[in-house]
Amino acid sequence: MRQRSLTAIVLAAVLAATTGCTVERHWGGNTNTGGSGKAKVGLVTKTDTNPYFVELRNAARAAAQANGADFSALAGQFDGDNDGQVRAIENLRQQGANTILITPSSSTGVLKAIKDARDAGILVIALDTATEPPDAVDATFATDNFAAGEQQGAYVKAALKGVPPKLLMVDGTAGSSVDTQRHGGFLKGIGLTDGSPEIKGHTAANGDQSLAQQGMENLLQRSTDINAVYSMNEPMGRGAYAALKARGLTGQIVMGSIDGGCEGVQNVKDGQFAATVMQFPAKMAEQGVLAAVEYAKTGKKPSGFVNTGSAVITDKPVPGVESHDTAWGLQNCWGGKK
């Protein structure tokens, strides 16, 4: 008996190490399909360090506890770690999950693992990031990222007050649907295309603050004649701001971002960003867990895309762009303060 227990402990440690994951809770047993009564919810996020995914995980865990569901959370080691997410899905299947909630690092990189899970009777819901094709999962609960990007672009355009943009763009992970949608939405909102001469440069930073700072420093070595910055998320916005501040350029820049975390809203209040577009990851997580509970009870599955909303946060409102101030933003950041 002692030897079997020791083996189980060692196996659990190996699984955690090879998956690069955060583990909230494990359970045993075979996979239970819908209608079994007990919801066993597994969450797979892109990383376990990005504050956005920490908030999403915390909200999912709280919703699971409130609704009597078992809960386990795993994550990739970094944004873009498809292999880590595949291993996480496989581990959750072995643990007996009947619902898996996932924020895929790549919209296509985990499709086979998702298909295998669905073929085994597991409900799979994408949170925050859609798969390609969208029907690779049963349903998606997420921000309309194109619309969020468009809101950011429209704000930056209006804030420039008719002055033509001289734009630098700080993108996320190349090829991810979130990056592509936010980038495209921003360009539509500001009235440009990828080939527009108003775009003076761009860098990809994989959602990382340090990489964004380095990338912006490299761009500024070419030219400092800019007046606008797009940042795909707030950590990268903070990195870009640090590089701009070191060059004494912050006073001439209108920078927008997307996320709406409490730190990001404070960045707006402090003048680092002109505006940010708030998402509601707590709402995504809560709705995902409730769908898992319903599936476990009745076998009923959600379907399609569910837009969980977005809102512009700024203390410098502009005509034509609906917004809330930072006081509202700090009360509602990521939906966790309501």
Side-chain angles (χ1 to χ4, degrees), residues 91-261:
N91 289 344
L92 290 170
R93 287 184 60 192
Q94 293 171 7
Q95 293 172 29
N98 46 33
T99 292
I100 294 176
L101 311 176
I102 182 169
T103 62
S105 284
S106 166
S107 297
T108 59
V110 292
L111 295 188
K112 184 180 185 306
I114 288 174
K115 182 180 185 301
D116 290 344
R118 293 180 71 190
D119 288 347
I122 298 171
L123 171 67
V124 181
I125 297 174
L127 303 181
D128 177 71
T129 304
T131 55
E132 294 178 7
D135 62 2
V137 292
D138 291 289
T140 300
F141 299 159
T143 306
D144 183 333
N145 282 294
F146 189 92
E150 189 173 3
Q151 286 173 292
Q152 185 193 158
Y155 178 88
V156 171
K157 180 178 181 179
L160 288 172
K161 299 179 180 178
V163 177
K166 299 175 182 179
L167 175 69
L168 294 179
M169 303 189 73
V170 184
D171 290 308
T173 301
S176 76
S177 61
V178 172
D179 181 68
T180 300
Q181 291 162 8
R182 291 184 185 179
H183 178 104
F186 178 87
L187 291 180
K188 181 179 179 182
I190 201 170
L192 302 176
T193 66
D194 276 313
S196 296
E198 291 89 346
I199 301 174
K200 303 304 179 181
H202 64 85
T203 184
N206 292 349
D208 183 86
Q209 182 169 332
S210 296
L211 290 177
Q213 182 173 346
Q214 293 167 15
M216 180 60 71
E217 288 168 351
N218 292 337
L219 291 174
L220 293 175
Q221 289 177 5
R222 304 175 195 171
S223 175
T224 58
D225 184 22
I226 57 171
N227 60 12
V229 172
Y230 160 80
S231 62
M232 182 266 201
N233 71 9
E234 289 166 355
M236 293 192 298
R238 286 188 282 273
Y241 179 84
L244 292 164
K245 185 177 181 181
R247 290 271 188 151
L249 299 174
T250 57
Q252 71 186 51
I253 301 297
V254 176
M255 178 159 59
S257 197
I258 301 176
D259 267 350

Side-chain angles (χ1 to χ4, degrees), residues 25-98:
R25 181 180 178 185
H26 288 287
W27 56 79
N30 297 323
T31 298
N32 293 314
T33 57
S36 63
K38 180 68 170 180
K40 297 181 178 182
V41 184
L43 172 67
V44 181
T45 52
K46 297 179 183 181
T47 73
D48 60 8
T49 56
N50 185 309
Y52 181 86
F53 298 117
V54 171
E55 175 63 30
L56 190 147
R57 185 181 70 227
N58 290 343
R61 182 180 63 239
Q65 291 174 345
N67 288 276
D70 288 337
F71 182 74
S72 181
L74 308 178
Q77 293 179 315
F78 53 87
D79 196 335
D81 182 14
N82 297 317
D83 290 342
Q85 288 201 318
V86 168
R87 289 192 294 270
I89 294 170
E90 292 170 347
N91 289 344
L92 290 170
R93 287 184 60 192
Q94 293 171 7
Q95 293 172 29
N98 46 33

Side-chain angles (χ1 to χ4, degrees), residues 306-329:
V306 178
N307 181 11
T308 51
S310 57
V312 175
I313 307 297
T314 183
D315 286 330
K316 299 176 180 179
V318 296
V321 179
E322 184 178 352
S323 64
H324 297 278
D325 63 18
T326 56
W328 186 94

